[in-house]
Amino acid sequence: MYVAVKGGEAAIANAHALLADRRRGDRSVPALRIDQIVEQLGLAVDRAMGEGSLYDKELAALALVQARGDLIEAIFLVRAYRTTLPRFGYSHPVETGEMLIERRISATFKDLPGGQMLGPTFDYTHRLLDPSIVSGDVPEPITRSEEPSRSPRVTDLLAHEGLIEPDFGTADPTEDREVGDLTREPLDFPLDRDLRLQALARGDEGFLLALGYSTQRGYGRSHPFVGEIRIGEVAVEFDVPELGFAVNLGRIRVTECQMVNQFKGSAKVPPQFTRGYGLVFGQAERKAMAMSLVDRALRAKEFGEDITAPAQDEEFVISHSDNVQATGFVEHLKLPHYVDFQAELDLIRRMRAEHEAVAVKEAAE
Amino acid sequence: MQTASSIDNSARKAALDALAAAPTLALAALWDAWADKPEHTKVRGPEVGLVMVRGRAGGGGAAFNLGEASVSRASVRIVTGEVGHGYCLGRDLGKAEIIAVIDALWQRDAASVEAEIIQPLRTLAVKADQKLRDEAAATKVDFFTMVRGDN
């Protein structure tokens, strides 16, 4: 029997009013402004944009305030908002080799054309809490006069010697393939690398971090080195149909990680370094590194490697990397399941009655 | 061979690039200073939508969809008949509309628009980029090798 239960409207309305109150907190403390979030909690904004899969700092900041700082809730809000907007089209692929670089490091080459720039990094800080930052008084950054110069991607340097697999990997660069879009078509396993990269770019940082870590600890070992990490701004070129040519819509900040991994070769191809790739909105180095580790692990089949570890299992990884989907299914458990549970109660009562009957019968024999 | 229209297009593109890259306040200030603003009617928008931003595997390999960005756009017709189109990242309807009007004006009188709006914006952009570059350059690592003594 299906029983519809209604009720709780007043409770829900009052709960939302209470949520609004708790979100605002003590009224004698000034309310947060969106520009304060954008400027001073920039990496939280970046994460909400990256995993929300929508580059818009003000929207991500609003989502963070509305979610009381709960990142996954904020990401959910950003994802919900994007569904209300029309899609104008697809950009040209961003050219990370032409990036206006703010940070660029390599763990494989000391002397790179363009140099190594630490940029605004937490690395080498002592991780000691510093109460003095709340004063807000910070001197202007130090500058060093620098001519614009080219900073080629490290992987392009190695590629010229043929020591590393090319950007296209084992795929055919001349093949004109349609680019998969998981926001338009449901995922159908096995996936091509383009769809995996899209899923990883919007995937949960914590999940990818743990999986990347697992590959380092021996679950799908791939011997990684950071070929290069670069953070900075890239231009978004978009073909405007009414103009008949492409316009640069502006620049977005991205983080790119080139992971260089141990060798593969075949009868035809001499041994080469293999690669994993990470590209994420905003300044998100940990995420980009984790993404590149997982990207490489998921290429196991392409290289004919044994699939033995969770990080190499495409369906497992990609089906569980989206934190909005994950939170939806986990959190739905708290919604009323009264009827389902009633059925289970009936079942267990019957099982116990049968169990008792058998026990009584055995005692009698 | 470059045709006259392809030269035109590349100059118009360069102007639209500079307008889209402009900070809203700087663009608004330059537009305020423009003496003879034409009446215009809206042909489309201004409206907000999304562009799916693409990347390439490995940086230069097969394309993939990285994620979307919010984009504003507008199309306007000015009294003299030219139709202008404005596009920029972000949700800034006013900026998209100003860009569209300036694009229409550019088709009528490119020289004035270049001199009074586009060039000042380029100067600003070059300066802002140079500041970023110089700040990053100060964090460049100068490696040196420690020579170990014999004893």
Side-chain angles (χ1 to χ4, degrees):
Chain A
M1 185 177 57
Y2 178 75
V3 186
V5 182
K6 265 179 79 72
E9 286 95 336
I12 290 169
N14 292 347
H16 290 170
L18 187 58
L19 167 64
D21 175 85
R22 296 297 194 266
R23 175 194 294 130
R24 176 62 182 87
D26 184 347
R27 306 296 197 277
S28 68
V29 176
L32 276 169
R33 294 197 321 260
I34 298 303
D35 57 350
Q36 289 177 316
I37 311 282
V38 169
E39 293 298 317
Q40 296 174 43
L41 290 177
L43 301 197
V45 170
D46 285 351
R47 185 161 174 195
M49 293 198 304
E51 294 171 33
S53 202
L54 175 58
Y55 196 98
D56 188 315
K57 287 184 183 181
E58 287 76 19
L59 268 182
L62 173 63
L64 282 168
V65 179
Q66 192 174 325
R68 306 179 66 189
D70 180 331
L71 270 161
I72 292 183
E73 183 69 21
I75 290 159
F76 198 162
L77 290 167
V78 171
R79 292 268 187 98
Y81 180 83
R82 76 155 278 282
T83 63
T84 66
L85 294 176
R87 169 84 65 83
F88 292 164
Y90 294 85
S91 83
H92 293 195
V94 294
E95 186 39 79
T96 55
E98 303 295 327
M99 179 185 285
L100 179 63
I101 293 174
E102 194 173 26
R103 168 170 168 79
R104 185 236 201 171
I105 53 165
S106 170
T108 52
F109 294 104
K110 183 162 63 70
D111 299 306
L112 296 169
Q116 304 220 20
M117 288 182 287
L118 301 180
T121 180
F122 293 120
D123 296 349
Y124 316 111
T125 62
H126 293 116
R127 267 71 182 213
L128 297 173
L129 281 171
D130 177 8
S132 75
I133 62 163
V134 297
S135 75
D137 299 325
V138 174
E140 287 298 309
I142 294 143
T143 58
R144 182 165 110 181
S145 183
E146 177 87 353
E147 287 298 311
S149 64
R150 271 190 57 79
S151 299
R153 284 187 294 256
V154 165
T155 43
D156 292 343
L157 300 175
L158 271 178
H160 289 310
E161 295 182 59
L163 299 176
I164 190 167
E165 61 156 335
D167 283 346
F168 276 89
T170 58
D172 177 4
T174 59
E175 195 188 348
D176 191 20
R177 290 180 45 258
E178 204 167 306
V179 182
D181 186 351
L182 62 81
T183 68
R184 292 292 159 100
E185 297 285 336
L187 290 176
D188 185 16
F189 295 97
L191 304 174
D192 284 328
R193 193 178 176 199
D194 55 347
L195 275 169
R196 289 202 303 259
L197 288 171
Q198 182 181 12
L200 295 175
R202 70 202 322 242
D204 184 75
E205 177 172 318
F207 181 72
L208 297 184
L209 178 66
L211 281 175
Y213 181 41
S214 75
T215 68
Q216 289 181 280
R217 291 192 65 257
Y219 293 87
R221 187 173 279 281
S222 60
H223 307 276
F225 294 93
V226 168
E228 183 179 6
I229 292 169
R230 53 172 65 195
I231 304 176
E233 295 180 0
V234 292
V236 179
E237 287 270 324
F238 177 67
D239 282 321
V240 177
E242 52 272 36
L243 289 170
F245 54 84
V247 167
N248 176 357
L249 304 180
R251 289 195 306 232
I252 60 170
R253 172 171 280 111
V254 295
T255 302
E256 180 185 60
C257 176
Q258 303 274 6
M259 202 63 84
V260 175
N261 304 73
Q262 241 179 25
F263 333 112
K264 266 284 127 47
S266 66
K268 284 185 200 144
V269 185
Q272 284 183 318
F273 284 108
T274 60
R275 295 164 60 184
Y277 186 64
L279 185 66
V280 187
F281 282 158
Q283 180 171 344
E285 190 163 289
R286 186 187 304 115
K287 165 80 180 274
M289 292 178 74
M291 175 176 172
S292 61
L293 288 170
V294 176
D295 171 48
R296 174 59 188 84
L298 290 175
R299 298 180 68 200
K301 209 194 283 176
E302 190 183 326
F303 294 122
E305 295 166 340
D306 292 335
I307 296 176
T308 56
Q312 298 170 311
D313 183 334
E314 170 181 279
E315 191 162 348
F316 174 78
V317 172
I318 303 298
S319 300
H320 301 106
S321 62
D322 190 292
N323 53 26
V324 176
Q325 276 173 16
T327 203
F329 204 50
V330 168
E331 291 202 53
H332 102 283
L333 291 173
K334 70 194 171 187
L335 298 175
H337 281 70
Y338 306 136
V339 177
D340 290 340
F341 192 65
Q342 201 66 50
E344 302 268 308
L345 269 180
D346 281 351
L347 182 61
I348 198 165
R349 286 203 177 104
R350 225 173 322 124
M351 285 162 67
R352 288 172 64 100
E354 280 164 19
H355 178 84
E356 230 163 88
V358 170
V360 168
K361 203 175 149 207
E362 275 170 3
E365 278 165 4
Chain B
M1 193 187 78
Q2 230 178 8
T3 63
S5 95
S6 80
I7 293 168
D8 257 358
N9 277 353
S10 69
R12 187 172 172 200
K13 171 187 161 46
L16 284 166
D17 289 355
L19 289 163
T24 305
L25 285 177
L27 178 61
L30 287 166
W31 183 234
D32 269 349
W34 184 271
D36 189 18
K37 294 188 186 61
E39 293 281 321
H40 68 272
T41 52
K42 292 168 190 174
V43 178
R44 180 173 64 187
E47 61 185 349
V48 174
L50 302 170
V51 164
M52 177 58 91
V53 179
R54 285 186 165 160
R56 285 187 181 283
F64 69 95
N65 291 310
L66 173 61
E68 286 160 314
S70 61
V71 170
S72 303
R73 72 175 175 193
S75 298
V76 302
R77 180 180 286 109
I78 57 175
V79 280
T80 42
E82 291 85 356
V83 174
H85 304 289
Y87 272 83
C88 58
L89 284 180
R91 288 162 303 120
D92 194 340
L93 299 178
K95 181 178 171 185
E97 191 171 341
I98 292 176
I99 293 174
V101 177
I102 295 173
D103 177 49
L105 274 174
W106 187 94
Q107 295 166 66
R108 199 177 69 191
D109 182 5
S112 306
V113 173
E114 288 284 338
E116 288 177 47
I117 297 174
I118 308 300
Q119 272 313 326
L121 287 178
R122 282 205 189 105
T123 309
L124 270 179
V126 167
K127 234 172 107 179
D129 287 1
Q130 192 58 46
K131 182 166 180 282
L132 278 179
R133 212 173 273 122
D134 291 348
E135 286 169 359
T139 70
K140 193 175 273 190
V141 182
D142 298 314
F143 287 103
F144 55 88
T145 308
M146 305 275 278
V147 180
R148 208 177 339 172
D150 287 335
N151 44 6

